[in-house]
Amino acid sequence: MDKTLVGYCAPLTCRPGATVRFMVSCERPLAYDVDVVRLICADGFADGAGYEERLVAAGVARGVRGRRQRTAIGSYAVAAEPMLTRDRAAATLAAVIRPTAPGPGLQAIAGTWDAGPGAGALLALAADGTPVLLLGDGQGGRLTVAADRAATPDRWSLVVAGFDVERGIARIWHRPVGGGPDAAFRPPGRGTARLDIAPAPARAGPFMIAAHRGADGHPAGHFNGRIEAVRLLARALGEGELDRLADVAIPGDLARDVVAWWDFGRDIASRTLVDLSPLAAHARTENLPNRAVPGHRWTGECHDWRAAPDQYAAVHFHADDIYDAGWQADFAWQVPTGLPSGVYAARLDAGDEVEHVPFFVPPPAGTATADVAFLASTATYLAYANIRTLLTRDPPFGIRTPNEAMLAARPEFGHSTYDRHADGSGVHYSSPHRPILNLKPRSYRWGFTADMNVVAWLARCGHAHDVVTDDQLHAEGADLLRRYRVVVTGTHPEYFSTAMRDAVEGYLGAGGRLMYLGGNGFYWRIACSDEWPGAIEVRRAEGGTRPWIAEPGAYRHALGG
């Protein structure tokens, strides 16, 4: 039957004494029982090594009622400063944008719009790419002001909208910025409407960038493309003042009108969008939008964002970005003290359907319980997590198991770093905080399932071994490995951070032994950050086999440079 039960856990690597939380969603009403098993071999194919699991803890949970959980997908930023959402008799909203995939509905640029009560103000793109200003009073009054022509996709434009309740007028403009040979041939656009309502941002949601609050209270209307230089002023500017809004610093003659003036070129390695105004209404990014990308000031002369942050003051948002699916935990399990190191899974048994949620248990901190360590390639598992480009391939890939079938049916579970976003740009990030359908037993024989054949070989040959992981290696360095006589890799340890590479070289330099059982290993460099725990970043630049290539100027990791 089709797979309807799916889960993930946090953390993916959990030492004895710590607790693993399990997030589960189900497509149909059911109840399931939970046991914990140790995975010995995950290969469920008839010609494989023979699936094997061993019961560790029975009855961890009984009769858990399955429910469908909403997946939070799409990146955005939110500034919860209350002053941004107070009632204003006049205001100007502005941003520099480069839309990459207009449609199928409204795409938010910035504002306070809440679709529930229909309140606030929103600068956005209509489905055909036309800039619009949306205003609502929260009592049924609503006004949409549209420009007379669409913004050009994949080109930079300054978009400005303003309203003045006393004068009874609302306006919107857009014009090309950023130079380029075609800038002079892209005509500006404008629109004007009579304003007969009083917008009510105080009854609306928080100030958001690249999304707005939907009717169900969740972020909606996600933007596809790059945004920079978001501005909010407490006055309706005239057309002759608009070009000043793209300045990096706050112009002196506008300073008294500025409510917020964000500079995305500050703190690029963080998840914070810095506001230069006295209000300091810094925004927090969600679901890992792409930073360290060229903005409209990029000249092509500098390829390191750390040397010219003003040229990289843009953020690329995607409607299909995902860092944390946002599911609630359904049950938890404290890893017992003394549990042998290994690969384990929560087994969810619904009678006619069984789901496994794997996790890794290393030995207690600072110890080794065997002479051999198996290094689980968790970074590579993330790089290939939910890889969709293989679903249409011939065996051994394609849709061969219920896991691949569910992946094909659930785009909201996100992509691997081998895929492209809906707007055609490459996927730079991957995270474990979501369902990963190919990080499960009985998936196709690649990555996790293939590596478990190495674990099975160690177990069936009687070789006592610990299991350690890439994320531990990145954090702890060579100290993680120095307690072992030999470290064994999996079948494809492809993705490595500089810290991980240095740790392996340090271990070998001190006399350690490495059994490299992989192909194409230690190949692509990744970056990690405490700002986004668990996530990895990949930039595919001018070398190597590339399913997509980063554009010029975007070769350096945002997470560290």
Side-chain angles (χ1 to χ4, degrees), residues 447-459:
F448 174 74
T449 301
D451 284 2
M452 287 302 297
N453 282 337
V454 179
V455 173
W457 167 69
L458 289 169

Side-chain angles (χ1 to χ4, degrees), residues 214-306:
D216 61 358
H218 297 290
H222 294 279
F223 188 83
N224 285 301
R226 297 184 187 179
I227 300 177
E228 64 175 298
V230 176
R231 316 296 189 217
L232 175 61
L233 293 87
R235 176 169 67 86
L237 270 60
E239 190 167 3
E241 302 174 282
L242 303 187
D243 289 337
R244 311 295 305 282
L245 296 173
D247 291 354
V248 176
I250 300 174
D253 57 335
L254 295 181
R256 69 177 185 176
D257 301 310
V258 168
V259 179
W261 193 277
W262 283 278
D263 180 1
F264 297 172
R266 305 285 184 101
D267 295 344
I268 286 176
S270 77
R271 63 187 299 172
T272 301
L273 304 181
V274 175
D275 172 29
L276 302 182
S277 79
L279 195 60
H282 310 312
R284 178 181 172 87
T285 55
E286 302 291 345
N287 263 344
L288 262 172
N290 195 11
R291 303 189 71 174
V293 293
H296 81 279
R297 299 184 190 88
W298 190 63
T299 65
E301 297 175 303
C302 180
H303 289 253
D304 186 346
W305 58 263
R306 297 170 298 180

Side-chain angles (χ1 to χ4, degrees), residues 465-477:
H465 60 280
D466 288 341
V467 172
V468 296
T469 59
D470 283 351
D471 49 306
Q472 287 183 282
L473 186 61
H474 177 84
E476 300 178 29

Side-chain angles (χ1 to χ4, degrees), residues 287-288 321-324 378-387 413-419 421 427-436 438-439 495 526-529 532-538 540 548 559:
N287 263 344
L288 262 172
D321 279 329
I322 186 168
Y323 169 68
D324 191 334
T378 50
T380 299
Y381 304 157
L382 287 184
Y384 284 90
N386 289 346
I387 183 168
F413 291 167
H415 304 282
S416 76
T417 65
Y418 283 79
D419 299 318
H421 290 289
V427 177
H428 290 62
Y429 300 99
S430 183
S431 162
H433 306 299
R434 55 177 173 143
I436 300 177
N438 55 341
L439 183 52
Y495 288 81
I526 64 166
C528 310
S529 171
W532 301 96
I536 66 166
E537 179 185 14
V538 177
R540 302 188 188 279
W548 51 265
L559 305 181

